[in-house]
Amino acid sequence: MASHGAGRRRARGAIDVLPSGGLRVRVYAGMDAVTGRRRNLVELIPPGPKAARQAEAARTRLLNQVDEERQPRTGVTMNHLLDQHFELSRWERSTRETYSGYASKHIRPLIGAVQVGALNARTFDSFHAELRRCRNHCGRKRYVDHRTPYEHECDERCRMHECQPLGAATIRQIHFIISGALNRAVRWGWISSNPIVFAETPPAPKAKPRPPSPEEAARILAEAWVDREWGTLVWLAIVTGVRRGELCALRWRDVNLSTGVVSVSRSIGQRNRDTWEKDTKDHQHRRIAVDEETVDILAEHRQRLQDRCDALGEPVPADAYLFSLAPDNSTFMRPNSVSERYSDLADRLGIATSLHKLRHYSATELIAAGVDIRTVAGRLGHGGGGTTTLRVYAAWVSESDQRAAGHMGARMPSRPTVPQLPVCDTERKLYPYEVIADAIRRQIGSRELEQGQFLPGIKAIAASHNVAVGTAHRAVALLVDSGHVTVVRGRGTVVS
Protein backbone atom coordinates (compact mmCIF):
# COMPACT_ATOMS: atom_id res chain seq x y z
CA MET A 1 0.00 0.00 0.00
CA ALA A 2 1.44 3.37 -0.95
CA SER A 3 2.38 5.68 1.88
CA HIS A 4 0.51 8.89 2.54
CA GLY A 5 1.47 11.56 0.05
CA ALA A 6 2.81 9.20 -2.61
CA GLY A 7 2.52 10.65 -6.09
CA ARG A 8 2.39 14.25 -4.85
CA ARG A 9 4.89 16.72 -6.35
CA ARG A 10 7.74 17.90 -4.19
CA ALA A 11 7.22 21.48 -2.98
CA ARG A 12 9.45 24.01 -4.74
CA GLY A 13 11.39 26.36 -2.51
CA ALA A 14 11.98 26.14 1.24
CA ILE A 15 10.65 27.88 4.33
CA ASP A 16 13.07 27.81 7.27
CA VAL A 17 12.35 28.82 10.86
CA LEU A 18 14.93 31.27 12.27
CA PRO A 19 16.03 31.46 15.94
CA SER A 20 14.14 34.75 16.23
CA GLY A 21 10.89 33.01 15.34
CA GLY A 22 10.75 34.60 11.89
CA LEU A 23 10.64 32.65 8.65
CA ARG A 24 13.09 32.65 5.74
CA VAL A 25 11.70 31.89 2.27
CA ARG A 26 14.29 30.59 -0.18
CA VAL A 27 13.66 29.72 -3.85
CA TYR A 28 16.29 28.43 -6.29
CA ALA A 29 16.52 30.82 -9.25
CA GLY A 30 19.09 29.08 -11.42
CA MET A 31 22.71 29.98 -12.18
CA ASP A 32 23.93 33.58 -12.40
CA ALA A 33 24.35 34.50 -16.09
CA VAL A 34 27.54 36.46 -15.40
CA THR A 35 29.40 34.56 -12.66
CA GLY A 36 27.97 31.06 -13.22
CA ARG A 37 27.22 30.68 -9.49
CA ARG A 38 24.06 29.32 -7.90
CA ARG A 39 21.44 32.01 -7.28
CA ASN A 40 18.63 31.97 -4.70
CA LEU A 41 15.81 34.43 -4.14
CA VAL A 42 15.42 35.03 -0.39
CA GLU A 43 12.75 36.91 1.58
CA LEU A 44 12.47 37.23 5.38
CA ILE A 45 9.10 37.16 7.17
CA PRO A 46 8.94 38.69 10.68
CA PRO A 47 7.47 36.51 13.49
CA GLY A 48 3.75 36.76 14.16
CA PRO A 49 0.46 34.87 13.99
CA LYS A 50 0.21 35.36 10.22
CA ALA A 51 3.86 34.52 9.47
CA ALA A 52 3.12 31.09 7.97
CA ARG A 53 0.49 32.48 5.60
CA GLN A 54 2.78 35.37 4.58
CA ALA A 55 5.65 32.94 3.95
CA GLU A 56 3.49 30.80 1.62
CA ALA A 57 2.41 33.92 -0.27
CA ALA A 58 6.06 35.04 -0.55
CA ARG A 59 7.10 31.63 -1.86
CA THR A 60 4.37 31.71 -4.50
CA ARG A 61 5.40 35.21 -5.55
CA LEU A 62 9.09 34.28 -5.82
CA LEU A 63 8.27 31.10 -7.78
CA ASN A 64 6.21 33.14 -10.26
CA GLN A 65 9.13 35.55 -10.62
CA VAL A 66 11.48 32.64 -11.38
CA ASP A 67 9.05 31.18 -13.92
CA GLU A 68 8.79 34.55 -15.71
CA GLU A 69 12.59 34.74 -15.96
CA ARG A 70 12.87 31.16 -17.29
CA GLN A 71 10.11 31.62 -19.83
CA PRO A 72 10.57 35.15 -21.23
CA ARG A 73 8.11 36.44 -23.80
CA THR A 74 10.85 36.70 -26.43
CA GLY A 75 13.60 34.27 -27.34
CA VAL A 76 15.84 37.05 -28.76
CA THR A 77 19.29 37.02 -27.16
CA MET A 78 21.44 39.99 -26.24
CA ASN A 79 23.82 39.10 -29.08
CA HIS A 80 21.04 39.39 -31.67
CA LEU A 81 19.81 42.66 -30.16
CA LEU A 82 23.34 44.14 -30.25
CA ASP A 83 23.70 43.13 -33.92
CA GLN A 84 20.48 44.96 -34.76
CA HIS A 85 21.38 47.97 -32.59
CA PHE A 86 24.82 48.43 -34.17
CA GLU A 87 23.41 48.03 -37.69
CA LEU A 88 20.80 50.77 -37.23
CA SER A 89 22.72 53.26 -35.06
CA ARG A 90 24.12 56.34 -36.80
CA TRP A 91 27.46 56.58 -35.03
CA GLU A 92 30.64 58.10 -36.38
CA ARG A 93 33.14 55.49 -37.56
CA SER A 94 35.57 55.67 -34.65
CA THR A 95 32.69 55.63 -32.15
CA ARG A 96 31.16 52.58 -33.82
CA GLU A 97 34.46 50.69 -33.77
CA THR A 98 35.04 51.58 -30.11
CA TYR A 99 31.56 50.42 -29.09
CA SER A 100 31.90 47.23 -31.15
CA GLY A 101 35.15 46.51 -29.32
CA TYR A 102 33.46 46.97 -25.94
CA ALA A 103 30.65 44.64 -26.98
CA SER A 104 32.99 41.94 -28.29
CA LYS A 105 35.24 41.96 -25.23
CA HIS A 106 32.85 42.64 -22.37
CA ILE A 107 29.15 42.37 -23.25
CA ARG A 108 28.90 39.35 -25.55
CA PRO A 109 31.13 36.98 -23.50
CA LEU A 110 29.21 37.65 -20.28
CA ILE A 111 25.53 38.14 -21.20
CA GLY A 112 25.44 37.77 -25.00
CA ALA A 113 23.69 34.38 -24.90
CA VAL A 114 21.08 35.47 -22.34
CA GLN A 115 17.55 36.04 -23.63
CA VAL A 116 16.61 39.71 -23.53
CA GLY A 117 13.38 38.96 -21.67
CA ALA A 118 15.31 37.15 -18.91
CA LEU A 119 17.54 40.12 -18.09
CA ASN A 120 16.79 41.98 -14.87
CA ALA A 121 18.33 44.53 -12.53
CA ARG A 122 20.21 41.87 -10.59
CA THR A 123 21.83 40.59 -13.80
CA PHE A 124 23.18 44.04 -14.54
CA ASP A 125 24.33 44.70 -10.97
CA SER A 126 26.29 41.43 -11.19
CA PHE A 127 27.55 42.42 -14.65
CA HIS A 128 28.85 45.79 -13.40
CA ALA A 129 30.50 44.08 -10.43
CA GLU A 130 32.37 41.74 -12.81
CA LEU A 131 33.60 44.71 -14.87
CA ARG A 132 34.89 46.33 -11.68
CA ARG A 133 36.60 43.08 -10.65
CA CYS A 134 38.62 42.09 -13.74
CA ARG A 135 38.77 43.56 -17.21
CA ASN A 136 39.85 40.18 -18.62
CA HIS A 137 36.98 38.27 -16.91
CA CYS A 138 39.41 35.61 -15.76
CA GLY A 139 36.83 33.56 -13.80
CA ARG A 140 39.21 33.69 -10.83
CA LYS A 141 41.52 31.15 -12.46
CA ARG A 142 45.29 31.43 -12.21
CA TYR A 143 47.11 31.81 -15.52
CA VAL A 144 50.07 33.63 -17.05
CA ASP A 145 49.71 36.91 -18.93
CA HIS A 146 52.21 36.36 -21.74
CA ARG A 147 53.97 39.33 -23.31
CA THR A 148 52.90 38.21 -26.80
CA PRO A 149 50.33 35.78 -28.22
CA TYR A 150 52.96 34.34 -30.58
CA GLU A 151 55.42 31.54 -29.81
CA HIS A 152 58.18 32.91 -27.60
CA GLU A 153 60.57 32.25 -24.74
CA CYS A 154 59.02 33.51 -21.51
CA ASP A 155 60.96 36.10 -19.50
CA GLU A 156 60.19 38.52 -16.68
CA ARG A 157 57.56 40.22 -18.86
CA CYS A 158 55.40 37.07 -18.72
CA ARG A 159 53.77 37.27 -15.30
CA MET A 160 50.95 35.65 -13.36
CA HIS A 161 47.66 37.36 -14.11
CA GLU A 162 46.56 40.06 -11.68
CA CYS A 163 42.98 41.29 -11.96
CA GLN A 164 42.64 44.94 -12.97
CA PRO A 165 39.22 46.67 -13.06
CA LEU A 166 37.87 48.52 -16.06
CA GLY A 167 37.94 52.29 -15.78
CA ALA A 168 34.82 54.01 -14.46
CA ALA A 169 34.33 55.92 -17.74
CA THR A 170 34.51 52.68 -19.77
CA ILE A 171 32.01 50.88 -17.52
CA ARG A 172 29.65 53.83 -17.87
CA GLN A 173 29.95 53.73 -21.67
CA ILE A 174 29.20 49.99 -21.71
CA HIS A 175 26.17 50.61 -19.49
CA PHE A 176 24.73 53.14 -21.93
CA ILE A 177 25.46 50.91 -24.96
CA ILE A 178 23.27 48.22 -23.37
CA SER A 179 20.68 50.76 -22.27
CA GLY A 180 20.37 52.11 -25.82
CA ALA A 181 19.96 48.60 -27.24
CA LEU A 182 17.27 47.71 -24.68
CA ASN A 183 15.40 50.96 -25.34
CA ARG A 184 15.26 49.90 -28.98
CA ALA A 185 13.89 46.50 -27.91
CA VAL A 186 11.15 48.28 -25.92
CA ARG A 187 10.16 50.35 -28.98
CA TRP A 188 10.01 47.17 -31.06
CA GLY A 189 7.76 45.47 -28.50
CA TRP A 190 10.26 42.72 -27.67
CA ILE A 191 10.15 43.61 -23.95
CA SER A 192 7.71 45.74 -21.95
CA SER A 193 10.31 47.83 -20.10
CA ASN A 194 14.03 48.42 -19.98
CA PRO A 195 15.38 46.34 -17.05
CA ILE A 196 18.70 48.19 -16.83
CA VAL A 197 16.99 51.34 -15.54
CA PHE A 198 16.32 49.47 -12.28
CA ALA A 199 20.02 48.56 -11.90
CA GLU A 200 22.54 50.83 -10.24
CA THR A 201 23.91 53.24 -12.85
CA PRO A 202 27.74 53.40 -12.76
CA PRO A 203 28.72 56.81 -11.36
CA ALA A 204 30.36 59.33 -13.65
CA PRO A 205 34.10 59.57 -12.97
CA LYS A 206 35.19 62.79 -11.33
CA ALA A 207 37.05 65.08 -13.70
CA LYS A 208 40.68 65.56 -12.67
CA PRO A 209 42.27 67.87 -15.24
CA ARG A 210 45.99 68.19 -14.70
CA PRO A 211 47.26 70.80 -17.14
CA PRO A 212 50.94 71.72 -17.21
CA SER A 213 51.89 74.68 -15.08
CA PRO A 214 52.84 77.96 -16.79
CA GLU A 215 56.50 77.18 -16.06
CA GLU A 216 56.18 73.72 -17.64
CA ALA A 217 54.34 75.20 -20.63
CA ALA A 218 57.21 77.67 -21.11
CA ARG A 219 59.77 74.83 -21.07
CA ILE A 220 57.70 72.80 -23.53
CA LEU A 221 57.43 75.74 -25.93
CA ALA A 222 61.13 76.57 -25.66
CA GLU A 223 61.99 72.99 -26.61
CA ALA A 224 59.40 72.91 -29.39
CA TRP A 225 60.70 76.13 -30.95
CA VAL A 226 63.95 74.34 -31.90
CA ASP A 227 61.88 73.31 -34.92
CA ARG A 228 59.81 76.29 -36.07
CA GLU A 229 57.17 74.11 -37.75
CA TRP A 230 56.69 72.01 -34.62
CA GLY A 231 56.82 75.07 -32.36
CA THR A 232 54.03 76.69 -34.35
CA LEU A 233 51.85 73.59 -33.95
CA VAL A 234 52.35 73.45 -30.17
CA TRP A 235 51.77 77.20 -29.86
CA LEU A 236 48.49 77.03 -31.79
CA ALA A 237 47.35 74.00 -29.76
CA ILE A 238 47.76 76.03 -26.55
CA VAL A 239 46.21 79.24 -27.89
CA THR A 240 43.10 77.64 -29.40
CA GLY A 241 42.68 74.52 -27.25
CA VAL A 242 41.54 72.51 -30.29
CA ARG A 243 41.61 68.72 -30.29
CA ARG A 244 44.54 66.97 -31.97
CA GLY A 245 42.38 65.62 -34.82
CA GLU A 246 41.02 69.13 -35.47
CA LEU A 247 44.56 70.53 -35.44
CA CYS A 248 45.70 68.00 -38.05
CA ALA A 249 42.67 68.78 -40.25
CA LEU A 250 43.23 72.57 -40.38
CA ARG A 251 43.85 73.92 -43.89
CA TRP A 252 45.14 77.33 -44.84
CA ARG A 253 41.71 78.25 -46.17
CA ASP A 254 40.49 77.90 -42.56
CA VAL A 255 42.83 80.68 -41.38
CA ASN A 256 41.96 84.36 -41.92
CA LEU A 257 45.09 86.31 -41.04
CA SER A 258 43.43 89.69 -41.66
CA THR A 259 40.70 89.13 -39.06
CA GLY A 260 42.67 86.80 -36.79
CA VAL A 261 40.10 83.98 -36.89
CA VAL A 262 40.71 80.23 -37.20
CA SER A 263 37.75 78.13 -38.41
CA VAL A 264 37.41 74.57 -37.11
CA SER A 265 35.00 72.40 -39.09
CA ARG A 266 36.74 69.06 -39.68
CA SER A 267 38.84 66.50 -37.84
CA ILE A 268 41.18 63.62 -38.66
CA GLY A 269 40.23 60.22 -37.27
CA GLN A 270 42.76 57.44 -36.75
CA ARG A 271 42.53 53.81 -35.67
CA ASN A 272 45.82 51.93 -35.79
CA ARG A 273 47.33 53.00 -39.14
CA ASP A 274 44.02 53.79 -40.81
CA THR A 275 43.17 57.51 -41.07
CA TRP A 276 40.22 59.45 -42.47
CA GLU A 277 38.75 62.95 -42.47
CA LYS A 278 35.51 63.37 -40.52
CA ASP A 279 33.25 65.85 -38.76
CA THR A 280 34.26 67.40 -35.45
CA LYS A 281 33.37 65.58 -32.24
CA ASP A 282 30.57 68.02 -31.37
CA HIS A 283 29.48 68.39 -35.04
CA GLN A 284 29.89 72.16 -34.71
CA HIS A 285 31.57 74.73 -36.93
CA ARG A 286 33.66 76.85 -34.56
CA ARG A 287 35.40 80.17 -35.26
CA ILE A 288 38.17 80.95 -32.77
CA ALA A 289 39.75 84.38 -32.48
CA VAL A 290 43.53 84.50 -31.97
CA ASP A 291 45.79 87.29 -30.74
CA GLU A 292 48.14 89.46 -32.82
CA GLU A 293 51.31 87.53 -31.98
CA THR A 294 49.68 84.27 -33.04
CA VAL A 295 48.71 85.95 -36.33
CA ASP A 296 52.38 86.93 -36.82
CA ILE A 297 53.49 83.36 -36.10
CA LEU A 298 51.00 81.96 -38.60
CA ALA A 299 52.09 84.52 -41.20
CA GLU A 300 55.72 83.40 -40.79
CA HIS A 301 54.55 79.79 -40.99
CA ARG A 302 52.76 80.55 -44.26
CA GLN A 303 55.83 82.26 -45.70
CA ARG A 304 57.97 79.21 -44.98
CA LEU A 305 55.49 77.12 -46.96
CA GLN A 306 55.61 79.65 -49.81
CA ASP A 307 59.44 79.52 -49.84
CA ARG A 308 59.47 75.73 -50.00
CA CYS A 309 56.99 75.67 -52.88
CA ASP A 310 59.03 78.36 -54.70
CA ALA A 311 62.13 76.20 -54.31
CA LEU A 312 60.19 73.32 -55.84
CA GLY A 313 58.94 75.55 -58.63
CA GLU A 314 55.33 74.75 -57.74
CA PRO A 315 52.44 76.89 -56.41
CA VAL A 316 51.04 76.39 -52.93
CA PRO A 317 48.11 73.93 -53.23
CA ALA A 318 44.72 75.57 -52.79
CA ASP A 319 43.75 72.96 -50.18
CA ALA A 320 47.14 72.86 -48.39
CA TYR A 321 47.05 71.76 -44.76
CA LEU A 322 48.35 74.00 -42.01
CA PHE A 323 50.68 71.28 -40.72
CA SER A 324 52.13 68.52 -42.85
CA LEU A 325 55.23 66.40 -43.42
CA ALA A 326 54.91 66.88 -47.18
CA PRO A 327 57.02 69.74 -48.69
CA ASP A 328 53.91 71.40 -50.14
CA ASN A 329 51.63 70.54 -47.17
CA SER A 330 49.39 68.48 -49.44
CA THR A 331 48.77 65.74 -46.85
CA PHE A 332 47.63 65.87 -43.23
CA MET A 333 49.63 64.73 -40.22
CA ARG A 334 48.57 61.59 -38.34
CA PRO A 335 47.07 62.45 -34.92
CA ASN A 336 48.87 59.54 -33.23
CA SER A 337 52.22 60.72 -34.63
CA VAL A 338 51.62 64.23 -33.26
CA SER A 339 50.79 62.82 -29.82
CA GLU A 340 53.85 60.55 -29.85
CA ARG A 341 56.20 63.39 -30.77
CA TYR A 342 54.72 65.60 -28.05
CA SER A 343 55.10 62.78 -25.51
CA ASP A 344 58.74 62.32 -26.53
CA LEU A 345 59.30 66.05 -26.02
CA ALA A 346 57.67 65.98 -22.56
CA ASP A 347 59.67 62.87 -21.58
CA ARG A 348 62.93 64.60 -22.50
CA LEU A 349 61.96 67.46 -20.21
CA GLY A 350 60.79 65.14 -17.43
CA ILE A 351 57.23 66.52 -17.51
CA ALA A 352 54.38 64.05 -17.02
CA THR A 353 51.78 65.38 -19.47
CA SER A 354 50.12 64.71 -22.81
CA LEU A 355 49.00 66.68 -25.85
CA HIS A 356 45.34 66.56 -24.75
CA LYS A 357 46.22 68.38 -21.52
CA LEU A 358 47.03 71.49 -23.55
CA ARG A 359 43.23 71.84 -23.85
CA HIS A 360 43.04 71.82 -20.06
CA TYR A 361 45.85 74.39 -19.91
CA SER A 362 44.04 76.70 -22.33
CA ALA A 363 40.78 76.41 -20.38
CA THR A 364 42.31 77.00 -16.95
CA GLU A 365 44.32 80.00 -18.16
CA LEU A 366 41.24 81.61 -19.73
CA ILE A 367 39.13 81.01 -16.63
CA ALA A 368 41.92 82.39 -14.45
CA ALA A 369 41.92 85.48 -16.67
CA GLY A 370 38.22 86.03 -15.94
CA VAL A 371 36.77 84.86 -19.26
CA ASP A 372 33.20 83.62 -18.84
CA ILE A 373 32.54 79.86 -18.96
CA ARG A 374 30.25 80.13 -21.98
CA THR A 375 33.03 81.64 -24.08
CA VAL A 376 35.59 79.11 -22.86
CA ALA A 377 33.20 76.25 -23.69
CA GLY A 378 32.68 77.70 -27.14
CA ARG A 379 36.40 77.97 -27.90
CA LEU A 380 37.00 74.37 -26.82
CA GLY A 381 33.94 72.98 -28.59
CA HIS A 382 32.31 71.59 -25.45
CA GLY A 383 28.67 70.54 -25.80
CA GLY A 384 27.48 72.16 -22.56
CA GLY A 385 27.36 75.78 -21.55
CA GLY A 386 24.90 77.14 -24.13
CA THR A 387 25.72 74.88 -27.06
CA THR A 388 22.91 76.05 -29.35
CA THR A 389 23.79 79.73 -28.96
CA LEU A 390 27.48 79.05 -29.46
CA ARG A 391 26.78 77.50 -32.87
CA VAL A 392 25.76 80.93 -34.19
CA TYR A 393 28.54 82.67 -36.08
CA ALA A 394 28.07 85.99 -34.29
CA ALA A 395 28.88 84.37 -30.93
CA TRP A 396 32.38 83.51 -32.08
CA VAL A 397 33.34 87.07 -32.98
CA SER A 398 31.61 88.58 -29.96
CA GLU A 399 33.39 91.01 -27.69
CA SER A 400 33.93 88.29 -25.07
CA ASP A 401 35.67 86.01 -27.59
CA GLN A 402 37.92 88.83 -28.77
CA ARG A 403 38.75 89.54 -25.13
CA ALA A 404 39.47 85.82 -24.68
CA ALA A 405 41.94 85.96 -27.57
CA GLY A 406 43.75 88.91 -25.98
CA HIS A 407 43.90 87.20 -22.59
CA MET A 408 45.25 84.01 -24.17
CA GLY A 409 47.95 85.88 -26.05
CA ALA A 410 48.94 87.86 -22.98
CA ARG A 411 49.32 84.70 -20.89
CA MET A 412 51.40 82.79 -23.44
CA PRO A 413 55.07 82.19 -22.54
CA SER A 414 57.57 84.21 -24.59
CA ARG A 415 58.93 82.48 -27.66
CA PRO A 416 62.64 82.68 -28.52
CA THR A 417 63.31 85.69 -30.76
CA VAL A 418 66.35 84.11 -32.47
CA PRO A 419 66.02 80.36 -32.79
CA GLN A 420 69.29 78.53 -32.29
CA LEU A 421 70.33 75.68 -34.55
CA PRO A 422 70.79 72.58 -32.38
CA VAL A 423 74.22 71.04 -32.09
CA CYS A 424 74.95 67.37 -31.52
CA ASP A 425 75.13 66.54 -27.84
CA THR A 426 74.46 63.60 -25.57
CA GLU A 427 71.49 65.13 -23.74
CA ARG A 428 68.89 64.12 -26.31
CA LYS A 429 68.67 62.21 -29.57
CA LEU A 430 68.38 64.55 -32.56
CA TYR A 431 65.80 64.04 -35.26
CA PRO A 432 67.15 63.10 -38.73
CA TYR A 433 66.50 66.55 -40.18
CA GLU A 434 68.40 68.13 -37.26
CA VAL A 435 71.36 65.82 -37.92
CA ILE A 436 71.38 66.85 -41.60
CA ALA A 437 71.15 70.55 -40.73
CA ASP A 438 73.98 70.20 -38.21
CA ALA A 439 76.18 68.46 -40.82
CA ILE A 440 75.61 71.26 -43.36
CA ARG A 441 76.26 73.87 -40.68
CA ARG A 442 79.60 72.23 -39.96
CA GLN A 443 80.43 72.27 -43.66
CA ILE A 444 79.73 75.99 -43.72
CA GLY A 445 81.83 76.52 -40.59
CA SER A 446 84.78 74.59 -42.06
CA ARG A 447 84.50 76.51 -45.37
CA GLU A 448 83.66 73.38 -47.32
CA LEU A 449 80.66 75.42 -48.39
CA GLU A 450 81.62 79.03 -49.15
CA GLN A 451 79.43 82.10 -48.87
CA GLY A 452 77.39 82.52 -52.04
CA GLN A 453 77.74 78.86 -52.97
CA PHE A 454 74.51 76.99 -53.74
CA LEU A 455 73.61 73.87 -51.78
CA PRO A 456 72.85 70.66 -53.66
CA GLY A 457 69.21 70.19 -54.62
CA ILE A 458 66.68 68.87 -52.12
CA LYS A 459 66.55 65.49 -53.80
CA ALA A 460 70.36 65.28 -53.83
CA ILE A 461 70.52 66.11 -50.10
CA ALA A 462 67.87 63.49 -49.39
CA ALA A 463 69.71 60.86 -51.42
CA SER A 464 73.10 61.60 -49.85
CA HIS A 465 71.69 61.22 -46.34
CA ASN A 466 69.33 58.35 -47.24
CA VAL A 467 66.21 60.17 -46.02
CA ALA A 468 62.87 61.25 -47.47
CA VAL A 469 62.57 64.47 -49.48
CA GLY A 470 60.35 65.93 -46.76
CA THR A 471 63.08 65.39 -44.15
CA ALA A 472 65.61 67.17 -46.38
CA HIS A 473 63.17 70.09 -46.78
CA ARG A 474 62.83 70.40 -43.00
CA ALA A 475 66.63 70.42 -42.62
CA VAL A 476 66.95 73.26 -45.13
CA ALA A 477 64.10 75.15 -43.46
CA LEU A 478 65.96 74.88 -40.15
CA LEU A 479 69.07 76.37 -41.78
CA VAL A 480 66.98 79.19 -43.26
CA ASP A 481 65.55 80.00 -39.82
CA SER A 482 69.01 80.12 -38.28
CA GLY A 483 70.31 82.44 -41.03
CA HIS A 484 72.90 80.04 -42.46
CA VAL A 485 71.27 79.83 -45.90
CA THR A 486 68.80 81.79 -47.99
CA VAL A 487 66.28 80.56 -50.57
CA VAL A 488 66.68 82.33 -53.90
CA ARG A 489 63.40 82.07 -55.77
CA GLY A 490 63.74 80.05 -58.94
CA ARG A 491 67.44 79.22 -58.38
CA GLY A 492 67.86 77.28 -55.14
CA THR A 493 69.38 77.62 -51.68
CA VAL A 494 72.56 79.68 -51.23
CA VAL A 495 74.95 79.97 -48.28
CA SER A 496 74.33 83.35 -46.57
Side-chain angles (χ1 to χ4, degrees):
M1 181 175 177
S3 62
H4 179 69
R8 299 173 61 184
R9 294 184 59 185
R10 180 181 178 185
R12 297 169 60 195
I15 300 177
D16 303 321
V17 180
L18 302 177
S20 63
L23 301 178
R24 178 176 61 199
V25 182
R26 184 174 68 254
V27 173
Y28 174 65
M31 306 301 289
D32 189 286
V34 178
T35 64
R37 296 180 177 180
R38 180 186 177 94
R39 184 164 68 93
N40 290 317
L41 300 182
V42 178
E43 186 171 330
L44 299 179
I45 306 298
K50 298 182 180 180
R53 186 183 305 172
Q54 293 174 350
E56 286 294 341
R59 179 169 64 177
T60 301
R61 185 174 61 255
L62 294 179
L63 287 171
N64 290 335
Q65 180 178 335
V66 171
D67 290 339
E68 289 177 0
E69 290 182 8
R70 291 178 178 174
Q71 299 175 1
R73 289 183 295 174
T74 176
V76 174
T77 64
M78 193 66 197
N79 277 333
H80 181 70
L81 175 59
L82 287 174
D83 292 338
Q84 296 291 310
H85 184 51
F86 286 160
E87 180 181 349
L88 298 175
S89 295
R90 294 179 294 180
W91 293 319
E92 189 274 325
R93 177 178 172 181
S94 57
T95 301
R96 179 180 299 276
E97 292 182 358
T98 298
Y99 287 178
S100 296
Y102 289 157
S104 298
K105 188 171 182 180
H106 304 294
I107 304 176
R108 297 182 189 273
L110 296 178
I111 58 174
V114 180
Q115 292 178 329
V116 173
L119 294 170
N120 54 35
R122 191 189 187 288
T123 303
F124 291 115
D125 284 341
S126 178
F127 174 72
H128 293 152
E130 173 64 18
L131 298 182
R132 293 191 299 268
R133 184 190 69 82
C134 180
R135 63 179 62 195
N136 291 334
H137 318 305
C138 62
R140 294 178 172 82
K141 297 179 181 179
R142 290 179 57 82
Y143 66 92
V144 176
D145 280 329
H146 291 281
R147 57 185 173 85
T148 175
Y150 304 104
E151 186 175 348
H152 64 283
E153 291 291 336
C154 290
D155 55 25
E156 68 278 358
R157 291 173 291 178
C158 300
R159 301 177 180 178
M160 293 301 300
H161 169 72
E162 294 182 2
C163 295
Q164 296 291 334
L166 272 180
T170 302
I171 295 177
R172 192 172 173 85
Q173 281 188 303
I174 293 173
H175 174 91
F176 288 115
I177 292 171
I178 299 174
S179 180
L182 292 173
N183 281 335
R184 196 180 293 274
V186 172
R187 294 197 302 273
W188 290 344
W190 289 0
I191 52 179
S192 59
S193 62
N194 187 343
I196 203 171
V197 300
F198 302 106
E200 182 179 358
T201 303
K206 295 182 179 180
K208 297 180 180 179
R210 296 179 181 176
S213 65
E215 293 76 15
E216 291 174 335
R219 291 173 57 201
I220 290 170
L221 272 173
E223 178 73 9
W225 277 117
V226 172
D227 177 357
R228 300 289 293 188
E229 303 279 330
W230 176 239
T232 302
L233 185 149
V234 175
W235 179 283
L236 192 64
I238 297 177
V239 169
T240 60
V242 298
R243 301 175 178 90
R244 63 172 193 169
E246 297 169 344
L247 196 64
C248 294
L250 285 176
R251 299 177 187 262
W252 276 109
R253 65 181 180 224
D254 300 323
V255 179
N256 191 326
L257 295 178
S258 60
T259 60
V261 173
V262 177
S263 300
V264 181
S265 59
R266 301 293 291 168
S267 181
I268 302 298
Q270 179 171 2
R271 192 170 184 85
N272 299 324
R273 298 191 61 82
D274 192 14
T275 56
W276 64 94
E277 195 165 359
K278 61 174 186 174
D279 200 2
T280 60
K281 183 176 181 179
D282 54 358
H283 307 290
Q284 294 183 8
H285 183 168
R286 313 200 307 276
R287 295 180 179 272
I288 305 175
V290 295
D291 61 286
E292 294 181 1
E293 185 169 10
T294 300
V295 171
D296 292 339
I297 292 173
L298 291 175
E300 296 172 6
H301 187 56
R302 169 74 185 194
Q303 187 59 48
R304 286 192 293 270
L305 172 60
Q306 184 67 58
D307 292 341
R308 287 199 303 272
C309 289
D310 289 342
L312 291 171
E314 298 177 358
V316 176
D319 58 349
Y321 288 92
L322 206 63
F323 302 106
S324 174
L325 297 180
D328 60 352
N329 284 31
S330 59
T331 60
F332 56 76
M333 297 182 70
R334 292 174 174 267
N336 286 358
S337 298
V338 175
S339 294
E340 290 168 3
R341 182 173 181 182
Y342 184 87
S343 297
D344 290 342
L345 183 154
D347 289 343
R348 291 199 303 270
L349 298 176
I351 301 174
T353 187
S354 64
L355 183 65
H356 184 77
K357 288 183 173 56
L358 292 184
R359 282 172 57 79
H360 299 162
Y361 178 83
S362 180
T364 54
E365 289 299 302
L366 288 173
I367 293 172
V371 180
D372 63 278
I373 298 297
R374 179 174 174 271
T375 301
V376 175
R379 289 176 69 89
L380 298 181
H382 288 161
T387 304
T388 303
T389 305
L390 292 175
R391 286 177 181 162
V392 181
Y393 175 85
W396 298 110
V397 293
S398 65
E399 180 182 355
S400 61
D401 192 46
Q402 295 293 341
R403 187 168 64 252
H407 283 310
M408 196 68 245
R411 298 181 75 88
M412 288 295 293
S414 300
R415 56 172 174 145
T417 54
V418 181
Q420 298 295 322
L421 190 69
V423 295
C424 291
D425 55 41
T426 58
E427 293 183 3
R428 72 176 180 89
K429 183 179 179 180
L430 297 179
Y431 294 105
Y433 72 93
E434 294 176 311
V435 175
I436 297 172
D438 187 69
I440 296 175
R441 183 189 64 80
R442 294 181 186 278
Q443 287 180 305
I444 296 173
S446 64
R447 299 303 177 91
E448 292 182 45
L449 293 173
E450 297 283 350
Q451 181 179 359
Q453 183 178 348
F454 282 88
L455 296 184
I458 295 296
K459 292 184 179 179
I461 294 176
S464 62
H465 290 274
N466 195 27
V467 296
V469 173
T471 302
H473 268 289
R474 297 182 70 183
V476 172
L478 198 58
L479 291 168
V480 171
D481 287 342
S482 64
H484 286 83
V485 299
T486 302
V487 175
V488 180
R489 186 170 299 181
R491 298 186 61 187
T493 307
V494 64
V495 177
S496 302

